[in-house]
Structures are given as C-alpha cells and as structure tokens.
Amino acid sequence: MKPSIPKGTRDFSSTEVAKRNYIFSTIKHSFENFGFQPIETPSFENSSTLMGKYGEEGDRLIFKILNSGDYLSKVDDNILTEKNSQKLISKISEKALRYDLTVPFARYVVQHQNDITFPFKRYQIQPVWRADRPQKGRFREFYQCDADVVGSKSLWQEVEFVQLYDTVFSKLGLSGTTIKINNRKILSGIAEVIGAKDKLIDFTVALDKLDKIGKEGVVKEMLSKGITEEAIKKVDPLFDFSGTNTDKLASLEGMLQGSDEGLKGVEELRFINNSITELGLTSASLEIDVTLARGLNYYTGAIYEVSAPKGVKMGSIGGGGRYDDLTGIFGLKDVSGVGISFGLDRIYLVMEELNLFETVELPKPKVLFLNFNENESLEKVKAIRVLRENNIKSELYPDTATSNKQQKKQWKYVTNRGIEFVVTDVENDTFVLKNMINSEQTTCSLDELITKVQ
Amino acid sequence: MKPSIPKGTRDFSSTEVAKRNYIFSTIKHSFENFGFQPIETPSFENSSTLMGKYGEEGDRLIFKILNSGDYLSKVDDNILTEKNSQKLISKISEKALRYDLTVPFARYVVQHQNDITFPFKRYQIQPVWRADRPQKGRFREFYQCDADVVGSKSLWQEVEFVQLYDTVFSKLGLSGTTIKINNRKILSGIAEVIGAKDKLIDFTVALDKLDKIGKEGVVKEMLSKGITEEAIKKVDPLFDFSGTNTDKLASLEGMLQGSDEGLKGVEELRFINNSITELGLTSASLEIDVTLARGLNYYTGAIYEVSAPKGVKMGSIGGGGRYDDLTGIFGLKDVSGVGISFGLDRIYLVMEELNLFETVELPKPKVLFLNFNENESLEKVKAIRVLRENNIKSELYPDTATSNKQQKKQWKYVTNRGIEFVVTDVENDTFVLKNMINSEQTTCSLDELITKVQ
C-alpha cells in the first residue's frame, strides 16, 4: 500500500519550503521593522480556551485530541450507550488544536498581563488547523501571519497597518494590491438610518452585487429582504458610490447625519485616509468599501481586506480590523485591539501565477565535487571545508563511482539539482572546475576557485 | 478563572522566540551550507503511518486526533459497552500528531520517490508531540532539528555529520562539546565474542558504570546477568579503555579478531576517525565510546551522541546514526540512511547557563518617537517611514499623552522595552533625539538622526 497523508494536509518539497520561507521572512522582517515582537503559543490549547469562541460552526471544525491512557474509564455508561458523539467529546477530549491565532493571543495577553508592557505590539506566524472541507486554496493545516496591537485606541495603529500591508506586498513584488477599508461604526450608522439593525447583513450583501446586477437588481433584492423603500432612499448615495475616497466620505457624511455613531465612523476613516494621503503608499491603493463586513459581530472599528492585483483571480489575501474587547472573554476587560493577517497560501498562489519567485534562492549546493577517484576524496573534502567556511554551499558526491554508469549517475545528480559549478578532479592543490551554465572548464587553485564561484 | 495552557506545553515570549530563532537559524544555515535541503511534512499523519513504528510505549505516547462529525455512529455497540479504550481508538481516530521526524521522512521518501534525486540530503525543523510525563527539559510539544541522507552507504556522510555537529556547536559558541561515536557492528562483534547476543544490552549498561563502580563492580554485575567469566575475559581490554581513539581502535581490533562484523565496525570507525584527524575540528572533540548504544535495535552502523561542554549538567544535546533500512517499513527496500538530530530545548538550556545569548538581538524598536503633542504626530510618522525604509526598527507611541501621568507611561514603555533612542520633539524638520544609554541629547536633521542611530 502506497503511503499517503490526510486530506487537506500537504508535504512541502525543498523548492516549496524555500518559496514559502521567502514570504515568511519578508513578512517577519516588516513586522519587526514596524516594532512588532514575536510570540509563540502551543499547538494545542485546553478545549475550554477554544470552544465557544468561534460560533457553532467553528466548534465543529476544531480538531479535538483524544485523552491519553484509559480515557473511557471515567465515562458514564449511559453516555456511551446513548452514542451521542457531541456529548461524549468533552468526556474523552480535554485538548484541541489551535483554530486561529487571535484567541490564543487573547489568552496569552490575559495569562501574562503582568509581564507585558502595553501597548503590546505582537506578531505570530504559526500553523492553525480546521476540519473544513478541503478545496482549492483551503487546507486543514495552514499558516496564519498575524500582527496585532493591544492596549491602544489610537487611530495611528490603523494607519500603520495600511502602511504595513503596503510595505509587505511591495517587498514581495506584488504591486497593485487594493487595501479595502471600512468601519463598523459606518455599518451601524447605515443600520440606524435604514431603521433595522438586523437587516444590515442582507443590506451589505445586496449592495455588494451592485457591479453585477445594477441598482435596480439590488433594490429589488433589498425590498425582498424586507428593507423599506423609504429606508433605501435614505442611503441612496451608496448606489452611486464611486469617486475618490474623499468623495465617498463626503457622501457618507451627508447620508449619516442622523447617526452619531455613523459620523464617528466617517471621522475615523477620514483620519486614516488623510494620513495615508500625506504619507503615501509604495504600490498599494487604499479604497473605502462600505460593503466590507467580514467578521461583523467581531470588529468594532476599522475593517480591512486586501485583494490581489487586478487580473489575478483570488479571494482576499489579507484581512483584519479593530475589536474593542479582545480579552474580555478571558476576564480582562476594556483592552482594545487592532490587527491584520496575511494569507500565506493565497499569497503563494498569486506569486506563483505572477512568476514572482524568480529571485528566490533555491536550497542547493553551489559547487559539487564529483567522486570518481577515491584517492582524491580527502583532498576534496578538505577543500569543501574551506568553501563552506566561506559560506559557499558545497558537497562531495558521497559514493565513489566504480563504473561508467555510476559516473553518469553523478552527472545526472548535477543536472537534476541544477548545480552551477562542478569540480571534477584535483591534483597537487589544483582543481578542475567546470561551469555548468557556459560549459567553461578551468584549472585553478583553491583561492581562485573560491573567487570564481562567489 | 485564570486561563492556562496544557501541561507540558509552553508559551514563548518575544525574548524566548528570539533566542530560539537564533539557534534555529544557526542550525539551518549550517544544514544548507552542507548541502541539505529542507522539507516539511504535515503536523498530523494517518494513524497507520505512525502506529507500530515506535514500539508499544511509543504507540501509547502518540497523540490521537478524534474524528470529526458523528464519529460514534459507525462504532459497534459492543465495543462501546466493553469500554475498552485501546480497542476503540482505531474506530474513532484516524489521524495522529507527528511523534518524530524520522518516520514521516521515511513516508515522504517512499511517497515522493519518483520526484527525489538520490542521494537525498534533507533537513527538517518542525515540532513533534509526545504524551510523555513532563519534567525538566522534557515537554509534550518540542522541536526536532534533523539532517539525514538517504541513498548512500558512503562513510563520507558519517564524516560529514561529525563536521556538521562541530560546525553548529562552534557557531553557537558552545565550545568543548564531545561527539561520542560508536558502531553497531562493534557492539554485534562484542556480542559475538562474549557468545550471547541477548546479553549485549546488559553488557553495555554494566560497562557504562565503569567510572562509578570500578572494574570489580562491573564484572560482578555482568556475572549476575549471566555473562560468563570466560566471555568477560575475552573483552578484558574494554575495562581499561582509555587513551586516544587510535589506541581504542587498536585494542578493539585485537579483541574482535573472532568477529568479521566487529572488525568491519573497527574499520569503519577508523576511517571516520582518520578523516576527522586529517580535516580537524573547530571546537568539538570526537571520542570513541563503546558503551554508546542508543536506539540499538534501530541503528545498523554508526551511532552518535553529543554531550554538552564539561561542567554543564545536561543529558545528550544531539544524537543519531545509520539505519540500513529506513524506508522498508513503507515498502521501499534497501535504502540506507544516516542522520543526526539537534536537541533544541537542551541546547537552549545549556546556552542560557553559559550566557551565550548575549549577542542575540532582541526584537524591539531601535527608536521610539514619543507622542506628547498631537500636532507633531504626522511629521513623526513621516520620519518613521523613512527610518523603516533604512531598516531601522522604529515606532510612534500610539496614544497622545494628555497628562503628566500619561507622559510618564510613555517613558516607562521606553525603559521596559529597553529602547536605545527616543525622539521627543520635532519642529521644522529638526528632531530632538535622546540616547537612553548615555543620556546625551542632540538636535538634528532626519539625515543626521539616521546616521546617529545606525
């Protein structure tokens, strides 16, 4: 039977690891450049830490770890005969795999609050696990790259996160991303104006289709969801919501005169937009999008979502927002947080599509020493030692070829691994070096060899 | 209720992450320098991949993941009423957390054999999980850092691994480690000579106590285990097994004349020892240790174990060896492998004890811009943008101080995070910069500021 791995999980070859590490290290470098500090939390948490934090659906998708030992011994017989899987879980499983990085972070902040200097700018790059149905770009094990600040309500953080997205994507060569931004307070304001808080999601979902089905279609859908004609009229400007961010803000300001909360949202967005205009972005653009509502019952202020450069078909490659009571679930009240996340796997796919990995150095030796003659091996290994000390990745083909076929195998190894330089022979401190790209062959000393391959 | 994490797991603060990353990146750099390529495998594997590979004890210590959904529905009622925890496991759990990196690597090699160029030099740095009883230096989640070569029987690999240990520990500043080496064939030879394969473990365990209980004590223990006086006489040189590696090899050669396998082992060790003598080591020493028997029923050739510098109380900080049939368990016969592992957590503890983390750069901003005056914020954020572009970690304290108390809080933040430079004010492109180490205060342009803090 051929071995396999669980569905929704992946093996990564060295080429894939190198490309992924390129993204990770770019993100990490920018996180630290912006003053964020790394933390790490365990892969599994106590179930009580995770359960109930992601809604019913989330609870179902959390991977539970079976207790060790005789885990059934203390289970009530009735529960077993009942055969109720859900009821039994808490009796036989006390631990669960991390589902995201936000809840463990909140737990971390509360647990270590006395050792933390606030505002606490932390980043975390670790895998998470979800028992979701796997599909293109959705896995059961995947990485999240999160940066959050807790303990500050300053809008400068919101500004900084826009800059951070722009910096990372620019460094990755992903020009032309759009950082969409909205504010929960504006959505609340709209709800207030249309007179129905509970209709807000229906409203934004319908509005989001404006491009596709036009104003008439959207209005029809809204009416069918029970939003009144009068309400729709009040927010009429949203149907012609184009123009610059400044235009949009002016339009929103007019529309939301009846809602203090809505106006506060406009003011916040205006601050962020003006600051970014003053500061400038390298390759991204900031776009106010009032249909943006991700994680609605979670965010309390800014909401971010980043879309890939135009022309690339891909969902959002990043998202985040402000949540005023991050740590309340663990008993520490009134700590505001704001943060963003980078979607590693999607960024990878977009970069692959745009051929942006060309500059990534693949993990392979720069110089291979062929092994056709046992008597030369020690001298070659001595040279390799010096090369490595000079940070030149190099290796000896380990087995001595004793036939033509075995010599061919070594040359094939050179080709398959795409090795640039090959040392064939050495005698009296003189090396025969072959450049595999231009087929040039030279005879040189070790010092010359080092210079040539560097 | 104060939140907590499962026993045997750990949160890592930014300082700890930085120190751990320093070790990881040193190891990784050397792995790649030596021509090893990274791979990564999923955190959980199909249970069938892991179960039965680590002995009964191992099977028990593997963390099992509960199936999702209505996992009890297809379980036979009898199994449930029986309340047999072990029997039920395979019915309600199909996946399990990685227990080490070797078995997943073997699975990887077999699964991807057609895409791999052999000899395959791979490294892997990932966490593993064991439901072991936690104690000092032993955790339920910990990292392994493994380098292995499969597809070559060349002893140059054995030589290279000695160099690799020496290189990594030297780079970490861990001078004075001892790389102990043995060979399974020598142990088999001893077993042959003493005429009892099944007594070999008793024999090596007793011999290992020579330092503590003297020859007399060891002989007594051996006799009590049923090893004959005659057998003990045959290996008498082992009781006076000091001197150089060359002395030891000569002594072994004499003793093992009756065993072809034993002599082959001597020859292999001699090759490794002579090569290393020719090549030289930077800070470690290579020591032949015939009591070394770790993973005896696993290794078939070289066996390695590294001990910390003398004076530091710590078990082995690395180990490994050659196994002639790594991938046989997954159906690919006759692929020889040899590899070593670095024990991250123990290396960390040793380095902490020896104060070797002093040079590690902690993740904190180099420059903090105080925020006492709202009107200066934008100009400060503009300056921060330029600093970051120059790779100078910097940040604005996000909230504007509106009281003396709040100003003090900002200064406290500077102290707590150990920040080196503080910008207090800015006016007309002129910055007031304070060096927190020597308390020097200067007024300068942005360009001058960049030069000063770099």
Side-chain angles (χ1 to χ4, degrees):
Chain A
M1 208 185 71
K2 217 192 153 190
S4 63
I5 52 175
K7 66 174 176 183
T9 68
R10 292 163 290 170
D11 281 330
F12 295 109
S13 70
S14 355
T15 304
E16 290 165 326
V17 171
K19 291 175 180 174
R20 286 163 63 86
N21 282 348
Y22 171 71
I23 303 177
F24 284 133
S25 67
T26 304
I27 293 175
K28 193 184 145 181
H29 179 268
S30 295
F31 281 176
E32 297 197 350
N33 192 236
F34 275 61
F36 290 87
Q37 314 171 64
I39 68 158
E40 289 181 10
T41 62
S43 296
F44 48 72
E45 295 271 351
N46 292 322
S47 298
S48 56
T49 300
L50 304 185
M51 298 298 283
K53 308 301 190 301
Y54 307 101
E56 252 179 68
E57 168 80 351
D59 278 358
R60 235 188 349 263
L61 299 184
I62 290 173
F63 279 112
K64 287 95 184 170
I65 295 172
L66 197 58
N67 292 344
S68 304
D70 190 5
Y71 57 91
L72 284 178
S73 66
K74 284 176 188 161
V75 177
D76 195 288
D77 288 356
N78 293 329
I79 292 182
L80 286 176
T81 47
E82 221 183 298
K83 253 183 142 172
N84 184 329
S85 292
Q86 292 317 304
K87 215 164 158 184
L88 185 63
I89 287 179
S90 64
K91 312 290 175 195
I92 63 174
S93 163
E94 283 169 358
K95 292 182 285 291
L97 288 177
R98 189 166 52 211
Y99 181 84
D100 74 354
L101 301 178
T102 307
V103 169
F105 172 50
R107 192 265 310 144
Y108 181 98
V109 170
V110 177
Q111 192 173 331
H112 303 283
Q113 53 185 289
N114 297 327
D115 306 318
I116 293 173
T117 302
F118 293 95
F120 182 38
K121 297 174 77 168
R122 91 83 170 80
Y123 78 85
Q124 199 170 347
I125 300 178
Q126 291 194 280
V128 302
W129 296 269
R130 295 182 185 181
D132 231 329
R133 190 191 304 270
Q135 48 181 262
K136 204 203 158 195
R138 191 199 283 168
F139 305 97
R140 292 190 152 186
E141 172 175 49
F142 59 98
Y143 267 79
Q144 291 193 334
C145 314
D146 283 17
D148 293 81
V149 187
V150 288
S152 164
K153 292 184 178 172
S154 165
L155 287 172
W156 284 112
Q157 299 298 174
E158 271 82 342
V159 173
E160 182 165 280
F161 281 120
V162 175
Q163 292 183 294
L164 183 53
Y165 267 138
D166 175 54
T167 301
V168 168
F169 289 124
S170 300
K171 273 189 191 292
L172 289 174
L174 262 181
S175 295
T177 56
T178 305
I179 304 166
K180 292 184 284 185
I181 190 166
N182 195 10
N183 192 302
R184 165 62 190 260
K185 298 186 179 89
I186 287 177
L187 291 172
S188 298
I190 293 173
E192 212 176 323
V193 169
I194 64 171
K197 285 230 163 188
D198 59 319
K199 298 271 162 46
L200 184 58
I201 288 175
D202 290 335
F203 182 87
T204 50
V205 166
L207 191 62
D208 196 29
K209 295 179 187 162
L210 195 60
D211 274 0
K212 286 182 202 141
I213 59 177
K215 180 172 176 179
E216 210 177 322
V218 172
V219 169
K220 204 172 146 193
E221 183 171 324
M222 286 180 175
L223 290 171
S224 81
K225 296 284 181 184
I227 300 167
T228 67
E229 217 162 319
E230 202 197 342
I232 295 171
K233 208 167 276 169
K234 280 189 189 158
V235 292
D236 191 65
L238 290 177
F239 294 100
D240 186 27
F241 209 62
S242 51
T244 64
N245 287 337
T246 313
D247 296 341
K248 288 178 181 175
L249 287 167
S251 166
L252 281 171
E253 191 166 22
M255 193 191 331
L256 295 171
Q257 283 303 325
S259 162
D260 284 349
E261 194 179 359
L263 289 175
K264 180 91 175 78
V266 172
E267 193 191 314
E268 289 186 12
L269 267 190
R270 184 171 282 143
F271 177 83
I272 298 165
N273 185 56
N274 288 348
S275 303
I276 290 297
T277 305
E278 285 284 344
L279 291 161
L281 294 177
T282 303
S283 79
S285 46
L286 181 68
E287 183 186 308
I288 291 173
D289 178 354
V290 285
T291 65
L292 193 62
R294 46 181 295 141
L296 190 61
N297 41 19
Y298 189 67
Y299 294 125
T300 52
I303 305 172
Y304 302 100
E305 191 169 278
V306 184
S307 38
K310 281 177 188 67
V312 181
K313 269 189 191 156
M314 185 60 68
S316 67
I317 55 175
R322 181 176 285 275
Y323 30 87
D324 270 341
D325 189 22
L326 173 69
T327 56
I329 38 171
F330 297 113
L332 183 63
K333 297 289 177 204
D334 239 359
V335 177
S336 185
V338 54
I340 60 172
S341 188
F342 288 82
L344 187 272
D345 290 298
R346 287 185 174 178
I347 293 171
Y348 185 102
L349 291 171
V350 172
M351 290 184 62
E352 197 73 281
E353 191 171 330
L354 297 174
N355 281 319
L356 294 176
F357 285 124
E358 275 168 6
T359 59
V360 177
E361 199 190 335
L362 297 180
K364 62 184 179 193
K366 184 120 187 178
V367 189
L368 182 89
F369 287 67
L370 292 180
N371 189 341
F372 291 177
N373 181 350
E374 212 174 4
N375 299 326
E376 294 179 357
S377 298
L378 182 62
E379 192 170 347
K380 285 179 175 170
V381 174
K382 281 184 180 174
I384 287 169
R385 177 175 187 174
V386 179
L387 259 71
R388 288 175 179 167
E389 281 168 358
N390 283 278
N391 279 323
I392 299 162
K393 295 175 190 171
S394 46
E395 63 181 40
L396 172 74
Y397 190 92
D399 302 276
T400 309
T402 54
S403 67
N404 238 322
K405 196 182 150 195
Q406 283 179 6
Q407 292 192 0
K408 273 190 189 140
K409 198 181 161 198
Q410 295 194 20
W411 282 113
K412 206 176 159 196
Y413 181 87
V414 172
T415 316
N416 283 352
R417 292 200 65 187
I419 293 168
E420 214 175 318
F421 293 99
V422 170
V423 173
T424 53
D425 306 280
V426 56
E427 210 185 331
N428 301 326
D429 297 326
T430 306
F431 297 82
V432 180
L433 177 71
K434 189 169 177 185
N435 179 324
M436 296 304 293
I437 291 165
N438 60 18
S439 294
E440 208 177 82
Q441 189 162 309
T442 43
T443 302
C444 56
S445 71
L446 184 55
D447 282 348
E448 288 164 345
L449 194 157
I450 290 171
T451 312
K452 274 183 199 297
V453 304
Q454 248 163 355
Chain B
M1 206 186 70
K2 216 192 154 190
S4 64
I5 52 176
K7 67 174 175 183
T9 68
R10 293 163 288 170
D11 281 330
F12 296 108
S13 70
S14 356
T15 304
E16 289 165 327
V17 171
K19 290 176 180 174
R20 286 163 62 87
N21 282 347
Y22 171 71
I23 304 177
F24 284 133
S25 68
T26 303
I27 293 174
K28 193 183 146 182
H29 178 268
S30 295
F31 281 177
E32 298 198 349
N33 192 235
F34 275 61
F36 290 87
Q37 313 171 65
I39 68 158
E40 288 182 10
T41 62
S43 295
F44 47 73
E45 295 270 351
N46 292 322
S47 298
S48 55
T49 300
L50 303 185
M51 298 297 282
K53 307 302 190 300
Y54 307 100
E56 253 179 65
E57 168 81 351
D59 277 358
R60 237 190 346 266
L61 300 184
I62 290 173
F63 279 112
K64 286 96 185 171
I65 294 172
L66 197 59
N67 293 344
S68 302
D70 191 5
Y71 58 90
L72 284 178
S73 67
K74 285 177 188 161
V75 176
D76 195 287
D77 287 357
N78 292 329
I79 293 182
L80 285 176
T81 47
E82 223 182 296
K83 253 183 143 170
N84 184 330
S85 293
Q86 291 317 302
K87 216 165 156 183
L88 185 63
I89 286 179
S90 64
K91 313 289 176 197
I92 61 173
S93 162
E94 284 168 359
K95 293 183 285 291
L97 288 176
R98 189 166 54 212
Y99 181 83
D100 74 354
L101 301 178
T102 307
V103 169
F105 172 49
R107 194 264 311 144
Y108 180 98
V109 169
V110 177
Q111 191 173 330
H112 302 283
Q113 52 184 288
N114 297 326
D115 307 317
I116 292 172
T117 302
F118 293 94
F120 182 38
K121 297 174 77 168
R122 92 84 170 77
Y123 78 83
Q124 199 170 348
I125 299 177
Q126 292 194 279
V128 302
W129 296 268
R130 297 182 183 180
D132 231 331
R133 188 192 306 270
Q135 48 181 260
K136 202 203 159 196
R138 191 198 283 168
F139 305 97
R140 291 190 152 186
E141 172 174 49
F142 59 98
Y143 266 79
Q144 291 193 333
C145 313
D146 282 17
D148 293 81
V149 188
V150 287
S152 164
K153 292 184 178 171
S154 165
L155 287 172
W156 283 113
Q157 299 298 174
E158 271 81 344
V159 173
E160 183 167 277
F161 281 120
V162 175
Q163 291 183 295
L164 183 53
Y165 267 139
D166 175 54
T167 302
V168 169
F169 289 125
S170 300
K171 273 189 192 292
L172 288 173
L174 262 181
S175 295
T177 55
T178 305
I179 304 166
K180 292 184 284 184
I181 189 166
N182 194 9
N183 192 300
R184 164 62 188 259
K185 298 185 179 88
I186 287 176
L187 291 172
S188 298
I190 293 173
E192 212 177 322
V193 169
I194 66 171
K197 286 230 162 185
D198 59 317
K199 299 270 162 50
L200 184 57
I201 289 176
D202 290 336
F203 182 88
T204 51
V205 166
L207 190 62
D208 196 30
K209 296 178 185 162
L210 195 60
D211 273 1
K212 286 181 203 145
I213 59 177
K215 179 172 175 178
E216 210 177 323
V218 172
V219 169
K220 204 173 147 192
E221 182 171 325
M222 286 180 175
L223 290 170
S224 80
K225 296 286 179 183
I227 299 167
T228 67
E229 216 161 317
E230 203 197 341
I232 295 170
K233 208 165 277 170
K234 280 188 188 157
V235 293
D236 191 66
L238 290 176
F239 294 101
D240 187 25
F241 209 62
S242 52
T244 64
N245 287 337
T246 314
D247 296 340
K248 288 178 182 175
L249 286 166
S251 166
L252 282 170
E253 192 166 23
M255 192 190 335
L256 295 170
Q257 282 303 326
S259 163
D260 285 349
E261 194 179 359
L263 290 175
K264 180 91 174 78
V266 172
E267 193 191 312
E268 289 185 12
L269 267 189
R270 184 171 282 143
F271 177 83
I272 297 165
N273 185 56
N274 287 349
S275 303
I276 289 297
T277 306
E278 285 283 343
L279 291 161
L281 295 177
T282 304
S283 79
S285 47
L286 181 68
E287 183 185 307
I288 291 173
D289 179 353
V290 286
T291 65
L292 193 61
R294 45 180 295 143
L296 190 61
N297 41 19
Y298 189 67
Y299 295 125
T300 52
I303 304 171
Y304 302 100
E305 191 168 279
V306 184
S307 39
K310 281 175 190 67
V312 182
K313 269 189 193 158
M314 183 62 66
S316 67
I317 54 175
R322 181 176 285 275
Y323 29 88
D324 271 341
D325 190 22
L326 172 69
T327 55
I329 38 171
F330 297 114
L332 183 64
K333 297 288 176 203
D334 239 0
V335 176
S336 185
V338 54
I340 60 172
S341 188
F342 287 82
L344 188 272
D345 290 299
R346 287 185 174 177
I347 293 171
Y348 185 101
L349 291 170
V350 173
M351 290 185 62
E352 197 73 280
E353 191 171 330
L354 298 174
N355 281 319
L356 294 177
F357 285 124
E358 274 168 6
T359 59
V360 176
E361 198 189 335
L362 296 180
K364 62 182 178 193
K366 185 118 184 176
V367 189
L368 182 90
F369 286 67
L370 292 180
N371 190 341
F372 290 177
N373 180 348
E374 212 174 4
N375 298 326
E376 293 179 359
S377 298
L378 183 63
E379 191 169 348
K380 285 179 175 170
V381 174
K382 281 184 180 174
I384 288 169
R385 177 173 188 176
V386 179
L387 260 72
R388 288 174 178 167
E389 281 168 359
N390 283 277
N391 279 322
I392 299 162
K393 295 175 190 171
S394 47
E395 62 181 41
L396 171 74
Y397 191 92
D399 302 276
T400 310
T402 53
S403 68
N404 239 322
K405 195 182 152 198
Q406 284 178 6
Q407 293 193 359
K408 273 191 189 139
K409 198 181 161 199
Q410 295 193 21
W411 282 113
K412 207 177 159 195
Y413 181 89
V414 171
T415 315
N416 282 353
R417 292 200 64 186
I419 293 168
E420 214 175 320
F421 293 99
V422 170
V423 173
T424 52
D425 306 279
V426 57
E427 209 184 333
N428 301 326
D429 297 326
T430 306
F431 297 82
V432 180
L433 176 72
K434 188 169 178 184
N435 179 325
M436 296 304 292
I437 292 164
N438 60 20
S439 295
E440 209 177 82
Q441 189 161 309
T442 43
T443 302
C444 56
S445 71
L446 185 54
D447 281 347
E448 287 164 346
L449 194 157
I450 290 171
T451 313
K452 275 182 198 299
V453 303
Q454 250 164 353

